[in-house]
Amino acid sequence: MAAIIDGSAAATQTKDELKQRISDLASHGIVPGLCVILVGNNPASHVYVKNKEKACQNMNIYSQVLRMPEESSEAEIVNKVEELNRNPKIHGFLVQLPLPSHVNTQRVMNTILPAKDVDGFHPINLGHLLMGEAGPVPCTPAGIIHLIKTTGVTIAGKEAVVIGRSNIVGKPLALLLLRENATVTVCHSHTQNLAAVAQRADILVAAIGKARMIKRSFVKPGAVVIDVGINKDENNKLCGDVDFTDVSEVAGYLTPVPGGVGPMTIAMLLRNTVEAARAQLL
Ligand code: GUN
């Protein structure tokens, strides 16, 4: 039976470590400030943003949510971004994705000041990640690396397979795993014989967006399995991309949904915000 990786406990520990840095900042008169721009009515986005807001309230981080209507123009969103770029109380901010389809997401992202880009999605920060230089790292991939390390399994030299090639998770995670000296394979919708490729993995990450798609036939016995999916099944029950019951019988370590990657993602967002505020001291 797989050991369950407790993402909530790992996130609590990371947040406890951050509290010291936040009180150091307070002694310099700095309260870290985070803002989220939320455009439109995507129900999942509203839940994620609520969770981000709640996390800040428990941490002495100033937080603000700017809600904008679905029909907001790209220019209106860019104006908000530019206001936040100039706002000295806000050390970091993000634009919750997805944006409505009439908006060019990349154009909006490109407007964010890289020093305030706590998502790490700006091309300059993604470039730093590619080059192995310091800078904010996208929160979900950073949280996944942290969770893998909590198992005590060494990443260096291992076969890591990432299923999904999104700009938010799959691609930046592949770069981070490479930085940790794993041998990395990225799979996607055109990958042939996915189960056979996945079965090579000592570390398997599922970021697909399909409820319970990963069965035990995809998993090498003893592997570390990280489930990034947040889906609703046919009974409207929250579930991941991994069939938890089935895979838990062969995996060595497995993250649950909820209580796995999600809480760790938020902890990493808070960390990026505190680091952005600390940069003000340098
Ligand atoms: N939508 C889903 N995940 C994310 C994320 O990590 N950041 C942003 N901005 N939007 C998201």
Side-chain angles (χ1 to χ4, degrees), residues 48 211-212 229-233 235-240 257-259:
Y48 299 153
R212 301 196 184 101
I230 302 178
N231 313 295
K232 291 275 179 77
D233 71 7
N235 301 316
N236 216 29
K237 184 170 180 269
L238 197 66
C239 71
V257 176

Side-chain angles (χ1 to χ4, degrees), residues 45 48 52 94-98 109 119 121 139-140 168 265:
S45 290
Y48 299 153
K52 289 172 184 177
L94 61 91
V95 181
Q96 187 67 27
L97 302 179
M109 293 291 145
D119 256 338
F121 292 166
C139 304
T140 300
I168 292 182
T265 293

Side-chain angles (χ1 to χ4, degrees), residues 224-269:
V224 178
V225 180
I226 306 289
D227 189 351
V228 187
I230 302 178
N231 313 295
K232 291 275 179 77
D233 71 7
E234 58 284 357
N235 301 316
N236 216 29
K237 184 170 180 269
L238 197 66
C239 71
D241 291 345
V242 175
D243 186 330
F244 185 88
T245 311
D246 197 35
V247 168
S248 65
E249 294 189 17
V250 289
Y253 301 88
L254 176 59
T255 61
V257 176
V261 172
M264 208 55 230
T265 293
I266 292 185
M268 291 296 152
L269 175 65

Side-chain angles (χ1 to χ4, degrees), residues 75-130:
E76 285 168 324
I77 300 168
V78 163
N79 278 342
K80 280 283 175 239
V81 167
E82 286 171 342
E83 270 173 37
L84 292 170
N85 284 344
R86 292 189 295 266
N87 183 340
K89 275 176 81 170
I90 298 299
H91 300 92
F93 66 97
L94 61 91
V95 181
Q96 187 67 27
L97 302 179
L99 285 171
S101 55
H102 64 273
V103 178
N104 181 325
T105 299
Q106 200 52 53
R107 232 179 274 155
V108 174
M109 293 291 145
N110 292 354
T111 318
I112 297 173
L113 194 67
K116 293 192 176 191
D117 169 34
V118 283
D119 256 338
F121 292 166
H122 190 283
I124 287 197
N125 289 323
L126 288 172
H128 286 153
L129 177 63
L130 184 78

Side-chain angles (χ1 to χ4, degrees), residues 18-259:
L18 280 178
K19 281 178 184 159
Q20 183 57 48
R21 288 191 231 166
I22 293 171
S23 65
D24 291 347
L25 282 168
S27 67
H28 290 88
I30 298 171
V31 176
L34 173 68
C35 182
V36 177
I37 299 180
L38 176 56
V39 185
N41 311 312
N42 182 307
S45 290
H46 277 260
V47 174
Y48 299 153
V49 169
K50 261 262 156 321
N51 288 340
K52 289 172 184 177
E53 216 178 357
K54 241 191 274 169
C56 290
Q57 282 156 6
N58 297 327
M59 291 288 293
N60 295 327
I61 294 177
Y62 169 73
S63 85
Q64 203 183 339
V65 178
L66 286 177
R67 290 183 174 78
M68 300 180 71
E70 180 83 21
E71 55 281 3
S72 304
S73 69
E74 190 177 303
E76 285 168 324
I77 300 168
V78 163
N79 278 342
K80 280 283 175 239
V81 167
E82 286 171 342
E83 270 173 37
L84 292 170
N85 284 344
R86 292 189 295 266
N87 183 340
K89 275 176 81 170
I90 298 299
H91 300 92
F93 66 97
L94 61 91
V95 181
Q96 187 67 27
L97 302 179
L99 285 171
S101 55
H102 64 273
V103 178
N104 181 325
T105 299
Q106 200 52 53
R107 232 179 274 155
V108 174
M109 293 291 145
N110 292 354
T111 318
I112 297 173
L113 194 67
K116 293 192 176 191
D117 169 34
V118 283
D119 256 338
F121 292 166
H122 190 283
I124 287 197
N125 289 323
L126 288 172
H128 286 153
L129 177 63
L130 184 78
M131 306 296 280
E133 290 166 3
V137 170
C139 304
T140 300
I144 291 169
I145 296 291
H146 186 90
L147 290 176
I148 297 168
K149 288 183 175 174
T150 65
T151 66
V153 169
T154 310
I155 301 176
K158 296 286 164 51
E159 290 275 349
V161 174
V162 179
I163 311 180
R165 57 173 161 181
S166 70
N167 290 337
I168 292 182
V169 182
K171 285 188 220 168
L173 177 61
L175 292 170
L176 286 179
L177 286 164
L178 205 50
R179 194 189 269 187
E180 298 286 340
N181 298 314
T183 301
V184 183
T185 304
V186 181
C187 300
H188 46 77
S189 53
H190 293 255
T191 298
Q192 294 188 8
N193 207 349
L194 180 63
V197 179
Q199 248 204 11
R200 296 205 305 254
D202 303 302
I203 297 164
L204 179 64
V205 181
I208 313 153
K210 284 204 181 132
R212 301 196 184 101
M213 182 182 142
I214 303 301
K215 309 288 184 194
R216 72 167 78 190
S217 60
F218 288 64
V219 178
K220 179 176 176 175
V224 178
V225 180
I226 306 289
D227 189 351
V228 187
I230 302 178
N231 313 295
K232 291 275 179 77
D233 71 7
E234 58 284 357
N235 301 316
N236 216 29
K237 184 170 180 269
L238 197 66
C239 71
D241 291 345
V242 175
D243 186 330
F244 185 88
T245 311
D246 197 35
V247 168
S248 65
E249 294 189 17
V250 289
Y253 301 88
L254 176 59
T255 61
V257 176

